[in-house]
Amino acid sequence: MLCICWQTSERTLDAPDLLDDFYLNLLDWGSSNVLAIALGSTVYLWDASDGSTSELVTVDEEHGPVTSVNWAPDGRHIAIGLNNSEVQLWDSASNKQLRTLKGGHRCRVGSLAWNDNILTTGGMDGRIINNDVRVRDHIVETYRGHTQEVCGLKWSASGKQLASGGNDNLVHIWDRSVASSNSPTQYLHRLEDHTSAVKALAWCPFQSNLLASGGGGGDRTIKFWNTHTGACLNSVDTGSQVCALLWNKNERELLSSHGFTQNQLTLWKYPSMVKTAELTGHTSRVLFLAQSPDGCTVASAAGDETLRFWNVFGDPNEAAKKSAPKKNQEPFAWANRIR
């Protein structure tokens, strides 16, 4: 089996005070090409198109630390989940807080997912809440199925199905069309095959009913699901904790990030699940992945308090230029540390 090993990332930045917590989601790359990362109680923004950097917010000690960040589809507004159970909405263009969502959760909010004007929040209390950010009474649906912390949330591209993963080792599929604001909504499927916490979730970009999920240290598998039927299509033992998953938007490939012992990123061909590359350099578990809007570059953040950038997926539109002398395309060449 041929396995290409890429030893170094394109660029490495220091990320001091990045929380080494498997259950949080502290990195996101928005549609406006701005990367958000939470370091302790502060959210920082980097604009990959012009090289500008800014601090969006430092939350008060009694509210923090920040436990999740997620860009709205417009790439301008961003949701910030907090340790005190609240969620703040910010306008990154004006650097102003728009509102605070309260009352939905009893504990920290470690996972967030947007679906148009609906912000879905997942908490340590096991609750999943749909919040309509346009209205005063923002809680419009509550999904109850997890008994422990919800650490993974992903809407399908169509916005019709929501996947959730929890510290109870469960994956749930929820159908938006049958949601009701009158009572806790029943899940469409409960997927019980994982044997450890499930944070890593990724909907396939070329097959709408295909979901990939990854299990924690006691599980170590990537599983593939038909979300219409609830059937498990395949399970692959990766040998280490699966922290995050990303599909290549242009090729049939899947990228996974891992913990002990190698703390690597692994690129897999789909559906054969043959390893085509291993990306090494992190010295602690690679907790968070985020993909640039063009799909080419992946940012990874790890417990070693570094942020690394990998041109792992390339760009099909640039294929013709590969024979030309390579120009410096490092996304953050102007900086060598976060703060």
Side-chain angles (χ1 to χ4, degrees):
M1 182 185 301
L2 178 64
C3 184
I4 307 165
C5 188
W6 298 344
Q7 291 293 337
T8 57
S9 53
E10 298 295 319
R11 174 153 293 274
T12 303
L13 307 180
D14 290 334
D17 300 323
L18 180 73
L19 296 179
D20 185 5
D21 191 325
F22 176 81
Y23 303 101
L24 306 184
N25 291 275
L26 304 178
L27 185 71
D28 196 31
W29 205 329
S31 61
S32 293
N33 207 16
V34 178
L35 186 77
I37 187 171
L39 303 179
S41 294
T42 303
V43 176
Y44 292 93
L45 305 180
W46 293 265
D47 190 326
S49 60
D50 65 11
S52 62
T53 178
S54 62
E55 176 185 318
L56 179 65
V57 58
T58 297
V59 300
D60 296 337
E61 188 174 327
E62 62 266 26
H63 296 159
V66 176
T67 50
S68 50
V69 295
N70 197 237
W71 285 102
D74 62 11
R76 172 172 175 166
H77 300 95
I78 187 169
I80 300 171
L82 301 178
N83 193 58
N84 74 339
S85 80
E86 297 177 357
V87 178
Q88 295 182 358
L89 300 182
W90 283 76
D91 183 336
S92 66
S94 62
N95 244 54
K96 292 183 179 179
Q97 184 180 347
L98 301 177
R99 68 181 301 184
T100 300
L101 306 179
K102 301 179 181 181
H105 295 281
R106 298 189 299 264
C107 310
R108 70 180 187 182
V109 179
S111 52
L112 302 166
W114 286 90
N115 187 356
D116 291 329
N117 295 302
I118 299 295
L119 173 63
T120 305
T121 58
M124 185 182 264
D125 53 15
R127 292 182 182 177
I128 300 169
I129 295 173
N130 285 344
N131 302 272
D132 189 333
V133 300
R134 300 168 296 180
V135 298
R136 181 177 176 181
D137 297 328
H138 52 86
I139 299 174
V140 291
E141 281 110 21
T142 301
Y143 298 160
R144 288 191 176 96
H146 290 283
T147 58
Q148 296 187 46
E149 182 162 20
V150 179
C151 46
L153 280 179
K154 289 284 165 52
W155 281 100
S156 64
S158 68
K160 294 178 180 178
Q161 288 190 329
L162 173 71
S164 64
N167 193 33
D168 51 11
N169 308 344
L170 297 175
V171 176
H172 287 111
I173 307 298
W174 312 85
D175 191 323
R176 182 85 169 93
S177 64
V178 299
S180 168
S181 59
N182 298 322
S183 62
T185 303
Q186 179 69 18
Y187 48 79
L188 181 65
H189 298 295
R190 169 176 279 187
L191 311 175
E192 303 178 298
D193 293 24
H194 282 291
T195 58
S196 191
V198 182
K199 183 181 80 165
L201 298 168
W203 290 94
C204 179
F206 53 82
Q207 190 172 329
S208 61
N209 63 327
L210 177 61
L211 176 75
S213 62
D219 179 278
R220 305 181 302 275
T221 67
I222 299 172
K223 297 185 189 297
F224 298 91
W225 309 90
N226 180 326
T227 61
H228 290 340
T229 66
C232 184
L233 305 175
N234 193 13
S235 181
V236 177
D237 187 349
T238 69
S240 59
Q241 179 184 54
V242 183
C243 300
L245 292 168
L246 284 177
W247 289 94
N248 187 338
K249 297 177 181 179
N250 305 306
E251 302 288 342
R252 297 194 172 216
E253 294 177 327
L254 181 70
L255 184 70
S256 56
S257 72
H258 297 272
F260 183 81
T261 57
Q262 289 185 285
N263 308 306
Q264 83 281 15
L265 286 74
T266 301
L267 186 64
W268 311 82
K269 274 289 183 188
Y270 185 83
S272 67
M273 292 304 286
V274 172
K275 289 184 187 179
T276 57
E278 288 198 339
L279 288 64
T280 58
H282 282 296
T283 58
S284 183
R285 55 185 181 173
V286 187
L287 293 165
F288 316 115
L289 294 180
Q291 192 170 13
S292 60
D294 64 9
C296 301
T297 305
V298 170
S300 61
D304 59 14
E305 297 189 344
T306 66
L307 179 64
R308 293 174 181 265
F309 297 89
W310 316 83
N311 292 337
V312 59
F313 290 145
D315 185 347
N317 297 321
E318 296 295 321
K321 301 178 183 179
K322 285 186 177 179
S323 58
K326 186 176 181 181
K327 297 181 180 180
N328 183 1
Q329 296 180 331
E330 294 172 346
F332 301 109
W334 46 269
N336 60 11
R337 66 179 285 121
I338 286 174
R339 70 179 206 208

